[in-house]
Amino acid sequence: MGELVLNKENKRTKKIYWRYREENATIEWLDDSTVIINNVQLELPHETYDYRSGIN
C-alpha cells in the first residue's frame, strides 16, 4: 500500500496504491505529479490504484 501526504495542505494521508499481498515496490517519479509504482502510472493527487478495480 502506498500513501500520499500533501505537506502544504493540512489533509490526512490518502491511499494511492493497493495490491493484495505485495511486499515490495518499484517506485519512479517522472515529475512532480506523475509516479509509476510497479508498472502502474498514476497522475497525482487525483488518480489511485486498487488491484480489484484498476485506476480510478
Side-chain angles (χ1 to χ4, degrees):
M1 175 173 39
E3 290 183 329
L4 175 64
V5 178
L6 301 172
N7 293 325
K8 293 183 181 181
E9 299 178 23
N10 195 12
K11 293 188 176 182
R12 299 166 140 198
T13 60
K14 176 182 178 180
K15 180 174 54 176
I16 60 168
Y17 178 90
W18 192 71
R19 186 173 283 170
Y20 184 66
R21 293 191 178 202
E22 187 165 84
E23 295 181 17
N24 299 308
T26 301
I27 302 167
E28 178 184 0
W29 285 92
L30 300 181
D31 56 40
D32 287 343
S33 61
T34 309
V35 64
I36 299 174
I37 304 171
N38 292 348
N39 298 316
V40 176
Q41 183 170 320
L42 299 172
E43 296 296 324
L44 301 176
H46 304 292
E47 289 185 331
T48 61
Y49 175 78
D50 185 316
Y51 80 100
R52 298 169 293 185
S53 59
I55 296 174
N56 295 311

